[in-house]
């Protein structure tokens, strides 16, 4: 469990920065609206211009801070080394699309998370003997949205029967759905408490074949051409920069569906799924973080 941050604090790789820490921050840029990719196209033969769509660019935080350990240069060196070692994690640095969390706590809201990489870490050693090491940091987040500090999780099993039973004659294979049971807390209801679309990670556990996952509110679907035995799984990652459908052995799963448009909008929505399952024991898990465009 991550440690609790206080207002005006950040945390990267277990190193805490900001108010009340050994790494006070003088200035931080990039926390507000991210940059956009768009342009104004002049209208020929007419006044004014036509605004093209604005798409958010990656978010880059620029942090002017310093390590402050008066009379203890060794402690300053250790803090700097901890930041360097966190940024050097080979599981992130040498893997395409891999990112690390930067946790941020601002007044009036819970801690939020940016996912990216520390791309700049420069230190000035002129006053290191006094335990004062100014730092110039840059953190690049390919996804400009902020996310909740805690990931949410929902599990949906096959086997819900909306009609009260089977109608004879029954023939195998039986295609079972997640159904539509009544009640305020029925399975399949997903709540994104944020203010921006959240991109879920969907995992289907066998035994089942040809699962189809549907976002009931929009009708968007993900169809997977895969057969999973008991103990096997297939995972669809709709997060920005991932967009993969893989089996537990690392092999790809065939799908013609667009993964980037399968999102959880702010508020409550419903996920349903179907699959061919003779045992009615297959299950789907939905994992997501509430998404925000502002701290």
């Amino acid at each position: 469990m991550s440690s609790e941050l206080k207002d005006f604090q950040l945390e990267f790789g277990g190193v805490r920065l900001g108010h009340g820490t050994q790494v006070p921050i003088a200035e931080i840029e990039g926390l507000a609206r991210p940059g956009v990719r768009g342009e104004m196209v002049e209208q020929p033969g007419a006044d004014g211009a036509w605004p093209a769509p604005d798409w958010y660019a990656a978010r880059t935080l620029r942090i002017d801070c310093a390590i402050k350990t008066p009379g203890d240069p060794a402690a300053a060196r250790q803090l700097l080394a901890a930041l360097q070692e966190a940024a050097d994690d080979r599981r992130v640095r040498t893997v395409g699309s891999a990112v690390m969390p930067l946790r941020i706590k601002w007044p009036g809201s819970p801690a939020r998370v940016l996912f990216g990489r520390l791309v700049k870490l420069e230190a000035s050693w002129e006053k290191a003997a006094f335990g004062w090491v100014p730092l110039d940091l840059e953190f690049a987040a390919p996804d400009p949205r902020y996310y909740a500090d805690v990931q949410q999780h929902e599990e949906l099993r096959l086997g819900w029967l909306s009609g009260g039973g089977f109608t004879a004659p029954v023939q195998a294979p039986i295609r079972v759905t997640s159904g539509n049971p009544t009640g305020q807390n029925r399975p399949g209801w997903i709540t994104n408490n944020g203010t921006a679309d959240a991109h879920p990670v969907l995992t289907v556990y066998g035994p089942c074949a040809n699962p189809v996952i549907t976002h009931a509110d929009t009708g968007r679907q993900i169809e997977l051409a895969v057969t999973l035995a008991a103990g096997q799984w297939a995972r669809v990652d709709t997060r920005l920069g991932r967009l993969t459908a893989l089996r537990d052995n690392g092999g790809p799963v065939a799908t013609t569906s667009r993964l980037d448009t399968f999102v959880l909008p702010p508020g409550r929505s419903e996920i349903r799924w179907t699959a061919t399952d003779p045992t009615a024991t297959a299950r789907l898990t939905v994992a997501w973080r509430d998404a925000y465009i502002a701290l």
Side-chain angles (χ1 to χ4, degrees):
M1 184 68 179
S2 299
S3 57
E4 184 177 352
L5 292 179
K6 298 180 180 180
D7 287 347
F8 298 110
Q9 289 187 349
L10 291 75
E11 184 180 63
F12 174 78
V15 179
R16 191 170 298 192
L17 300 77
H19 183 70
T21 74
Q22 292 181 306
V23 190
I25 294 175
E27 185 178 3
I28 182 169
E29 299 177 359
L31 288 175
R33 189 173 190 258
V36 295
R37 295 177 287 108
E39 59 181 323
M40 292 287 181
V41 181
E42 295 185 358
Q43 300 190 82
D47 294 331
W50 178 78
D54 284 340
W55 300 104
Y56 285 129
R59 183 188 296 273
T60 299
L61 300 189
R62 298 173 180 87
I63 306 171
D64 180 8
C65 58
I67 298 174
K68 182 180 179 181
T69 56
D72 193 351
R77 185 207 63 79
Q78 290 173 354
L79 279 170
L80 179 59
L83 284 170
Q84 290 176 299
E85 290 164 3
D88 192 55
D89 188 340
R90 290 183 61 84
R91 295 169 298 180
V92 176
R93 183 173 60 84
T94 63
V95 177
S97 80
V99 290
M100 294 182 64
L102 173 68
R103 302 174 64 225
I104 306 172
K105 176 68 174 72
W106 237 235
S109 68
R112 309 269 198 243
V113 183
L114 275 177
F115 290 96
R117 297 184 181 184
L118 192 64
V119 296
K120 184 177 182 181
L121 173 56
E122 293 185 0
S124 299
W125 293 94
E126 290 84 355
K127 299 181 180 180
F130 304 101
W132 178 258
V133 181
L135 300 177
D136 185 6
L137 307 181
E138 286 189 8
F139 183 87
D143 185 344
R145 286 167 290 232
Y146 299 100
Y147 288 92
D149 200 22
V150 178
Q151 178 176 270
Q152 298 196 67
H153 179 275
E154 188 71 35
E155 180 174 288
L156 307 177
R157 290 188 176 273
L158 287 175
W160 288 101
L161 303 174
S162 58
F166 293 104
T167 300
V170 177
Q171 296 180 345
I174 304 170
R175 188 167 184 83
V176 188
T177 77
S178 56
N180 188 28
T182 59
Q184 293 299 312
N185 297 310
R186 71 189 186 203
W189 275 353
I190 305 296
T191 301
N192 170 13
N193 295 300
T195 58
D197 291 341
H199 293 259
V201 178
L202 310 157
T203 307
V204 177
Y205 295 88
C208 66
N210 302 320
V212 179
I213 306 168
T214 303
H215 186 267
D217 302 69
T218 62
R220 294 192 178 98
Q221 292 186 325
I222 295 178
E223 302 180 16
L224 302 178
V226 64
T227 298
L228 302 170
Q232 296 180 333
W233 52 263
R235 178 166 295 147
V236 178
D237 194 335
T238 70
R239 291 176 296 178
L240 182 66
R242 311 294 177 88
L243 299 179
T244 56
L246 300 173
R247 292 184 60 121
D248 53 299
N249 60 9
V253 175
T255 179
T256 58
S257 307
R258 282 193 59 177
L259 305 184
D260 60 319
T261 61
F262 195 95
V263 298
L264 306 177
R268 188 175 67 178
S269 53
E270 185 174 6
I271 299 292
R272 300 174 184 169
W273 76 298
T274 64
T276 301
D277 175 16
T279 67
T281 59
R283 68 188 192 278
L284 165 72
T285 62
V286 184
W288 78 98
R289 289 176 186 260
D290 300 335
Y292 303 83
I293 199 58
L295 279 176

